[in-house]
Amino acid sequence: MSDGRVDTRSQYGMTEKCGVVGISLEARDAAHPLYYSLYALQHRGQESAGIVTHDGFQQHSHVEMGLVGDAFDEDDIENLNGSVGIGHVRYPTAGSVNSCCAQPFSVSFKSGSLGLSHNGNLVNADEIRDELAGLGHAFTSDGDTEVIAHDLARNLLEEDLVRAVRRTMSRLHGSYSLTIMHDDTVLGVRDPEGNRPLCIGELEDGYIVASESAAIDTLDGELVRDVEPGELVVLHEDGTGYDTYQLFERENSAHCFFEHVYFARPDSVIDDQLVYEVRRELGRKLWEESGVESDVVMPVPDSGRSFASGYAEAANEEGVGIEFAEGLMKNRYVGRTFIMPTQDERERAVRLKLNPIKSTIEGKTVTIIDDSIVRGTTSTQLIQLLKEVGAEEVHVRIGAPPIVAPCYMGIDMASREELIAAGKTTDEIRETVEADTLSYLSIDAVAEALEASRSDLCLGCVTGEYPYDIDGEATDRDVTRPQIRPESTPADD
Ligand code: SF4
């Protein structure tokens, strides 16, 4: 940023995508539970927050830029009438960073009203948009969510709800977990590869679909199960149950493994696994694959913490006594951007975020555990800092494989040129960040910790081969992008 404001989102790695929720209750208004759910999903998006409800006659909508706590006041919540609704927190992944792309997206059309919340990123949104524009659809944003909404609205003119969703899904290529509200019916949809998480929960007086089970816990509900890849869940309007339809089935799924490594809350259960336990297991495997004896092991807060505790536990079980310590304190009040007037001070930015505890580090050999290295800026600064306060050696262990390629499925990561691991060996990266030793976890170890076959995971950013047909990139499976022909293009067959 040219004004000296440092964007810590890009500086400190990857950014979360979006969080979606949909609720149907028996009698009371859904706005408050939706609002609390969005709080629980805030880590998945901080750019905007929104809720759309339906009172049986009409939609009510409130969508604002900013954090959940800033986007709503009590009056806003009171005005969101109706016992059904959907919500969204957003970090922009496709479309502009402004209020026209904030969600839920809502639209009225000939056969009713639609609200839509989307987590993920479509690969073929432009093709569908061009076709629909050729058919007279007018778009108000450049986001892919509006493309899904228009396509579904069009299909709803000719089909019942389930068939219309199936037809729209057959045209989408890419990653999507959706909560949809058609009049007063709330739906949850997960793409056929299950790239993004989505789960169903039961509340005391209703049902919920949400990106993560932490949203269900917040409402004192019970996690029922994950929505299956390719499944449509239709919540009853009266909040008494739900119907499900397995609309698409693929031989393999393509779950984003980084949900478990980095994005999701550790207290969420995703695809049947508690994220916290997966991270501890990744830490244990890191010790098994590349453990190094040192005086102390410490996490890079916050996400490295569960990895480091698993790593230290596995070391101690083998009789290698390594002290597990919190040697780095995070300043929680540094926002997502802060002002740093000079380049030199920008390079010291890590010190604003993380401060070392000298007595834990001075004169010791130190292992730091992190979940990933994206650009390498933070790691380099951190290692320098630890040496400045007296660490004798600094070993770095990373609980994921090297990130060598960008993400096209909705994670704001970095371009290939910016990724420190693209085109470099581990030793070259080690030299760049000035660590004494550096090791990453293997892909096989990640698959084992997730109790999944490699072929059921998206590994695009660590292999450069993707589970979707992305222009100019290799695929890791047989994928066919749906043929979408703009209406204005004459058929040649
Ligand atoms: S490319 Fe990486 S971050 Fe993106 S969906 Fe696949 S595993 Fe997740």
Side-chain angles (χ1 to χ4, degrees), residues 127-414:
E127 292 155 42
I128 302 174
R129 181 199 307 275
D130 287 350
E131 187 213 40
L132 291 173
L135 294 169
H137 287 251
F139 289 87
T140 59
S141 75
D142 55 359
D144 51 359
T145 309
E146 190 178 1
V147 171
I148 303 174
H150 277 265
D151 197 76
L152 186 55
R154 182 175 179 79
N155 291 334
L156 279 165
L157 296 175
E158 294 169 13
E159 308 264 29
D160 65 29
L161 186 55
V162 175
R163 285 204 177 92
V165 172
R166 187 207 300 268
R167 196 195 275 192
T168 292
M169 286 174 76
S170 72
R171 290 157 55 77
L172 305 181
H173 189 64
S175 159
Y176 56 93
S177 275
L178 305 167
T179 53
I180 303 171
M181 191 169 63
H182 175 228
D183 294 335
D184 55 358
T185 303
V186 170
L187 321 175
V189 178
R190 198 171 178 197
D191 73 63
E193 284 74 26
N195 185 250
R196 295 280 157 252
L198 193 68
C199 58
I200 316 170
E202 183 172 359
L203 307 176
E204 200 185 328
D205 57 348
Y207 285 85
I208 174 172
V209 276
S211 294
E212 289 184 38
S213 62
I216 302 168
D217 296 339
T218 302
L219 301 180
D220 270 338
E222 286 288 323
L223 171 66
V224 176
R225 63 174 173 83
D226 296 289
V227 176
E228 295 296 324
E231 186 181 15
L232 162 67
V233 178
V234 182
L235 304 188
H236 296 171
E237 296 95 26
D238 60 5
T240 56
Y242 62 88
D243 298 314
T244 82
Y245 305 85
Q246 190 61 50
L247 299 183
F248 288 87
E249 275 184 275
R250 297 268 196 275
E251 204 173 314
N252 292 106
S253 52
H255 302 309
C256 167
F257 83 95
F258 256 116
E259 286 285 349
H260 287 92
V261 167
Y262 180 75
F263 298 119
R265 279 173 56 151
D267 52 336
S268 282
V269 175
I270 291 186
D271 291 318
D272 249 353
Q273 285 186 298
L274 180 64
V275 171
Y276 171 72
E277 288 300 344
V278 171
R279 288 185 189 160
R280 275 175 54 81
E281 185 57 24
L282 290 165
R284 294 179 65 85
K285 291 197 175 298
L286 201 49
W287 169 261
E288 285 164 22
E289 286 193 340
S290 62
V292 54
E293 291 194 26
S294 63
D295 297 323
V296 60
V297 56
M298 59 179 65
V300 178
D302 290 312
S303 45
R305 195 164 284 133
S306 356
F307 294 84
S309 76
Y311 180 94
E313 186 182 79
N316 289 324
E317 278 171 16
E318 277 185 20
V320 180
I322 302 181
E323 184 195 353
F324 172 79
E326 295 278 359
L328 294 162
M329 284 301 122
K330 185 173 173 179
N331 179 350
R332 294 183 197 289
Y333 301 99
V334 175
R336 282 172 297 132
T337 62
F338 49 82
I339 293 166
M340 299 290 290
T342 67
Q343 183 61 29
D344 183 45
E345 282 174 312
R346 283 183 204 189
E347 281 165 13
R348 305 286 304 162
V350 70
R351 196 69 190 247
L352 267 179
K353 275 262 201 188
L354 295 169
N355 196 32
I357 297 177
K358 203 172 173 187
S359 59
T360 319
I361 295 157
E362 198 172 19
K364 296 192 178 153
T365 55
V366 173
T367 303
I368 54 170
I369 312 269
D370 208 348
D371 49 56
S372 53
I373 304 181
V374 181
R375 291 169 173 78
T377 326
T378 308
S379 308
T380 310
Q381 293 174 358
L382 197 52
I383 292 159
Q384 272 172 10
L385 190 59
L386 292 171
K387 292 199 167 163
E388 277 167 26
V389 293
E392 284 194 353
E393 293 170 9
V394 179
H395 305 277
V396 180
R397 294 294 177 270
I398 303 296
I403 299 170
V404 296
C407 176
Y408 298 92
M409 274 67 79
I411 312 298
D412 180 37
M413 199 174 260

Side-chain angles (χ1 to χ4, degrees), residues 41-62:
L41 298 174
Q42 183 78 84
H43 61 291
R44 298 184 70 86
Q46 300 91 39
E47 206 69 48
S48 67
I51 292 175
V52 178
T53 58
H54 200 286
D55 63 9
F57 298 100
Q58 61 175 354
Q59 275 190 354
H60 304 274
S61 169
H62 183 85

